[in-house]
Amino acid sequence: MRAFWQNGYKATSMNDLVGASGMAKPSLYAAFGDKEAMFEKSLLHYFDCYGDMVFGPLMRAEKHYLIDIRNLIQTVGYLAADKATPLGCFLFNAQVENAYGTEKHKVLLSDLGQTRYEGIRTRLLKAVDSGELGDDADIDALATYVDGQLGAVSILARTGASKFRIDQFVETAVKALPSATPFDFDDLPDFTLRQ
């Protein structure tokens, strides 16, 4: 996973995968299939590894929706900037790189992107049900906006932005969202990345 995340699909060679896995080529092929299959399994593994950390709090809807959205965008930004991992979100990086990739990759990336979008959309619908968003809220437009902010913060982090700049970006992004109930942005609780 890390080899593809670091270098992208096209720039990752079988020798890179052998080096990263510590397995001989025949064993690697036998265990995981060809490079295309390894890439697909890496994306699914990434989604499994980071999915709950990123989307779990959002789906539990434990806080005001603006706090949940803030935490979502900030989590993606901080994880994408983490020096212990390759820069950027693996999924967003792969979506950009594979815009002209194989049809199978495009379908998988589209499906994973749709899963991400639907998670955001579900949280926004819960915000309508709880009265945090008005009944007239354009859920699809808001979900598209939030999903776009995830991509933007990932790119910002990939270019080496500091946590201060990521925080500024997140604050601006969240302040653009509507709220049917009074919400004081100055009272946002401190963000803590839960791993």
Side-chain angles (χ1 to χ4, degrees):
M1 176 179 79
R2 291 180 66 88
F4 285 124
W5 187 357
Q6 179 71 46
N7 305 318
Y9 176 75
K10 292 174 186 151
T12 301
S13 68
M14 283 307 296
N15 287 336
D16 294 329
L17 296 171
V18 165
S21 68
M23 298 172 74
K25 271 188 193 179
S27 299
L28 195 57
Y29 279 119
F32 300 105
D34 63 9
K35 179 181 167 183
E36 186 172 321
M38 287 181 226
F39 180 68
E40 292 161 11
K41 289 174 184 170
S42 293
L43 281 169
L44 293 170
H45 181 67
Y46 174 83
F47 216 73
D48 287 343
C49 287
Y50 292 97
D52 186 59
M53 182 191 315
V54 174
F55 286 98
L58 183 78
M59 300 318 301
R60 288 188 288 276
E62 296 169 345
K63 298 179 169 59
H64 191 282
Y65 103 95
L66 289 173
I67 296 172
D68 285 344
I69 296 296
R70 186 277 306 260
N71 291 350
L72 171 69
I73 300 170
Q74 207 148 20
T75 297
V76 169
Y78 281 19
L79 287 173
D82 188 345
K83 302 296 185 209
T85 63
L87 288 176
C89 167
F90 182 25
L91 180 56
F92 278 112
N93 293 352
Q95 286 174 315
V96 170
E97 179 194 25
N98 286 293
Y100 306 103
T102 69
E103 195 57 36
K104 195 172 180 186
H105 288 173
K106 286 181 189 178
V107 170
L108 175 61
L109 290 165
S110 176
D111 289 348
L112 292 175
Q114 188 64 31
T115 299
R116 182 185 63 229
Y117 173 85
E118 289 301 328
I120 296 164
R121 193 175 185 285
T122 297
R123 178 60 185 97
L124 295 173
L125 288 170
K126 288 178 183 177
V128 171
D129 290 344
S130 68
E132 297 166 347
L133 272 173
D135 292 337
D136 60 344
D138 187 339
I139 297 301
D140 291 323
L142 291 173
T144 298
Y145 169 79
V146 172
D147 195 37
Q149 299 312 302
L150 296 179
V153 78
S154 177
I155 291 168
L156 187 67
R158 186 178 171 97
T159 61
S162 66
K163 285 189 176 181
F164 176 76
R165 284 190 58 214
I166 291 170
D167 290 346
Q168 284 183 315
F169 174 87
V170 172
E171 181 180 339
T172 303
V174 173
K175 283 184 176 179
L177 292 168
S179 179
T181 56
F183 190 85
D184 186 353
F185 285 94
D186 292 331
D187 287 339
L188 273 172
D190 289 338
F191 172 76
T192 303
L193 179 61
R194 294 188 183 127
Q195 297 191 15

